[in-house]
């Protein structure tokens, strides 16, 4: 594939036998790089498109305010074997009508979660809406243990994206996950009410995993408030192309956890370049069929590699990984996906 061909048609065409595979770009429209990048990751999440295809959207017609309907349309357009960038202005204007404004810089993780919330609110098929939520749903159990009487209180909750704190030095994904599941002692003004003791006491708080989703979204928390200003951390965070959740954090699971296979393979990376004040989003995604990595920068899409993805570990040029999308191994897929590295 020549660079000239990619630049002219804003797409990547890959020949696999007699079949031609196309990955379409998306034009930057009114500062839409954040949404463009998320659309590339959502397009690579083929399970989402399959659920939306089952949705009939009865009675909605061409509702310009309905995010799941417009998302279904744009994801279908992105799968077509056409050389031009996929049309997505209707989706962008639909988000604008739902408070994700055009001509505004956004945080990718916030927009991602907002889109998932709108899918739940605006789909008229509750079963399919919950099926989409189930793709990303990380079920958790928060445990609060009183340090006076040892009574343990538990509360169930869920997240759709796991926010991982990073240190202002070198980090590994394992370090970040260990930090998330590490128990914290609560004392002083943070003491909690113990029902057994009848008063606020010192306690230990920790989080356990009740179930893991097919799609595991991890957010590397690179933006931090310092002295009233939001700063970006470009420090090094390494992450693997494949990992086993149960080996990274052996004691992170609740007593009721029953999933046997916790292996995950990376298939998309949201990259942020620039500062907290002025930045740009791009994405690396793995093709479902070829398993090759591609780099999507708005309308420009090019063949890439795992070695290029690894360059986003740290921000020598301020281009750093911000969100990681992992897909869980499935028995019906046979052996674990081949890695491109």
């Amino acid at each position: 594939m020549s660079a000239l061909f990619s630049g002219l048609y804003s797409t990547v065409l890959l020949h696999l036998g007699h079949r031609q595979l196309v990955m379409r770009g998306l034009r930057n429209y009114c500062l839409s790089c954040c949404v463009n990048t998320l659309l590339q990751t959502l397009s690579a999440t083929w399970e989402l498109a399959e659920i939306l295809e089952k949705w009939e959207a009865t009675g909605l017609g061409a509702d310009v305010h309905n995010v799941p309907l417009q998302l279904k349309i744009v994801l279908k357009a992105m799968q077509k074997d056409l050389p031009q960038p996929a049309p997505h202005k209707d989706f962008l204007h639909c988000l604008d009508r739902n408070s994700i404004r055009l001509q505004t810089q956004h945080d990718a993780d916030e927009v991602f979660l907002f889109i998932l919330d709108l899918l739940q609110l605006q789909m008229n098929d509750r079963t399919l809406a919950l099926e989409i939520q189930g793709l990303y749903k990380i079920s958790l159990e928060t445990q609060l243990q009183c340090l006076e009487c040892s009574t343990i209180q538990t509360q169930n909750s869920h997240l759709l994206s796991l926010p991982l704190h990073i240190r202002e030095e070198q980090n590994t994904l394992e370090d970040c996950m260990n930090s998330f599941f590490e128990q914290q002692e609560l004392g002083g003004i943070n003491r909690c009410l113990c029902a057994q003791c009848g008063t606020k006491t010192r306690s230990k708080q920790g989080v356990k995993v009740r179930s893991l989703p097919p799609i595991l979204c991890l957010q590397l928390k690179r933006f931090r408030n310092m002295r009233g200003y939001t700063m970006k951390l470009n420090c090094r965070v390494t992450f693997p192309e494949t990992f086993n959740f149960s080996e990274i954090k052996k004691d992170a699971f609740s007593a009721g956890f029953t999933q046997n296979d916790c292996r995950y393979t990376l298939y998309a990376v949201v990259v942020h370049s620039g500062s907290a004040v002025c930045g740009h989003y791009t994405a690396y995604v793995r093709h479902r069929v070829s398993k090759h990595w591609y780099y999507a920068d708005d309308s420009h899409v090019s063949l890439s590699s795992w070695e290029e993805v690894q360059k986003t570990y740290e921000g020598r040029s301020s281009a750093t990984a911000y969100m990681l999308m992992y897909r869980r191994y499935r028995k019906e897929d046979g052996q674990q996906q081949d890695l491109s590295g």
Side-chain angles (χ1 to χ4, degrees):
M1 179 190 69
S2 70
L4 176 61
F5 188 82
S6 177
L8 284 173
Y9 292 99
S10 305
T11 188
V12 165
L13 279 77
L14 173 69
H15 294 278
L16 188 64
H18 296 293
R19 186 180 173 190
Q20 199 175 59
L21 305 175
V22 178
M23 182 173 166
R24 303 181 72 180
L26 298 160
R27 285 197 176 94
N28 193 314
Y29 175 72
C30 298
L31 303 179
S32 66
C33 67
C34 175
V35 177
N36 290 357
T37 296
L38 290 174
L39 282 173
Q40 292 290 1
T41 67
L42 293 174
S43 178
T45 311
W46 47 265
E47 299 91 337
L48 173 61
E50 289 181 351
I51 296 174
L52 288 174
E53 275 301 304
K54 294 188 289 185
W55 180 44
E56 297 181 358
T58 308
L60 292 177
D63 190 343
V64 295
H65 293 83
N66 189 277
V67 169
L69 176 61
Q70 296 302 325
L71 179 61
K72 176 181 178 178
I73 293 170
V74 72
L75 290 182
K76 193 168 185 177
M78 292 177 72
Q79 299 304 317
K80 290 183 178 179
D81 291 350
L82 295 174
Q84 302 85 8
H88 70 317
K89 285 186 181 180
D90 288 346
F91 179 70
L92 295 174
H93 282 288
C94 180
L95 287 180
D96 184 68
R97 296 182 186 99
N98 285 275
S99 301
I100 302 296
R101 300 300 184 194
L102 295 168
Q103 299 287 7
T104 304
Q105 293 200 66
H106 296 285
D107 179 87
D109 187 67
E110 290 179 1
V111 175
F112 170 72
L113 295 175
F114 192 72
I115 289 174
L116 292 184
D117 283 344
L118 289 174
L119 294 182
Q120 294 301 303
L121 292 171
Q122 297 181 356
M123 285 184 72
N124 55 11
D125 187 322
R126 192 64 189 148
T127 300
L128 292 180
L130 290 175
E131 193 174 337
I132 290 175
Q133 185 187 73
L135 285 178
Y136 301 95
K137 186 176 179 180
I138 308 163
S139 295
L140 301 172
E141 178 183 278
T142 301
Q143 299 180 349
L144 188 68
Q145 182 178 20
C146 175
L147 293 179
E148 301 296 331
C149 70
S150 298
T151 298
I152 297 177
Q153 303 176 63
T154 62
Q155 183 175 357
N156 295 335
S157 61
H158 75 269
L159 295 171
L160 302 178
S161 172
L162 200 64
L164 300 178
H165 177 83
I166 62 176
R167 301 189 306 268
E168 297 177 42
E169 50 192 61
Q170 292 197 16
N171 303 261
T172 66
L173 186 63
E174 183 175 358
D175 294 335
C176 298
M177 296 183 104
N178 282 332
S179 176
F180 181 87
F181 291 102
E182 194 174 55
Q183 284 194 329
Q184 295 181 332
E185 186 169 325
L186 305 177
I189 62 172
N190 295 317
R191 289 181 301 169
C192 296
L193 177 65
C194 173
Q196 183 73 21
C197 297
T199 185
K200 288 186 176 182
T201 62
R202 291 184 307 112
S203 58
K204 284 195 304 184
Q205 180 177 277
V207 177
K208 300 287 186 180
V209 175
R210 294 172 57 234
S211 67
L212 289 168
I215 303 298
L216 181 62
C217 178
L218 306 176
Q219 179 209 8
L220 304 178
K221 299 183 69 175
R222 291 191 177 273
F223 299 103
R224 193 161 300 169
N225 190 288
M226 298 179 180
R227 302 183 187 90
Y229 296 94
T230 302
M231 307 293 290
K232 181 187 175 186
L233 303 179
N234 289 316
C235 46
R236 183 177 177 85
V237 184
T238 61
F239 49 87
E241 198 173 9
T242 183
F243 77 94
N244 190 327
F245 198 108
S246 61
E247 292 178 356
I248 280 188
K249 188 65 179 171
K250 298 181 184 298
D251 60 347
F253 304 102
S254 69
F257 186 86
T258 58
Q259 291 168 259
N260 295 321
D261 205 324
C262 303
R263 289 176 290 172
Y264 282 87
T265 300
L266 186 70
Y267 74 93
V269 180
V270 172
V271 179
H272 183 273
S273 304
S275 67
V277 178
C278 182
H280 179 65
Y281 284 103
T282 56
Y284 286 95
V285 296
R286 289 182 75 226
H287 196 281
R288 180 182 180 182
V289 178
S290 72
K291 303 297 187 288
H292 292 143
W293 282 100
Y294 292 91
Y295 179 63
D297 183 355
D298 292 328
S299 60
H300 301 286
V301 182
S302 57
L303 185 65
S304 190
S305 66
W306 171 236
E307 288 72 26
E308 289 298 312
V309 177
Q310 289 174 298
K311 292 180 181 178
T312 66
Y313 285 168
E314 57 188 325
R316 291 172 183 168
S317 60
S318 78
T320 49
Y322 180 51
M323 294 172 65
L324 309 174
M325 302 287 189
Y326 283 90
R327 175 176 283 111
R328 193 176 64 206
Y329 167 77
R330 303 188 311 164
K331 287 184 180 179
E332 53 267 39
D333 291 335
Q335 67 180 52
Q336 195 167 15
Q337 300 176 44
D338 295 332
L339 302 184
S340 57

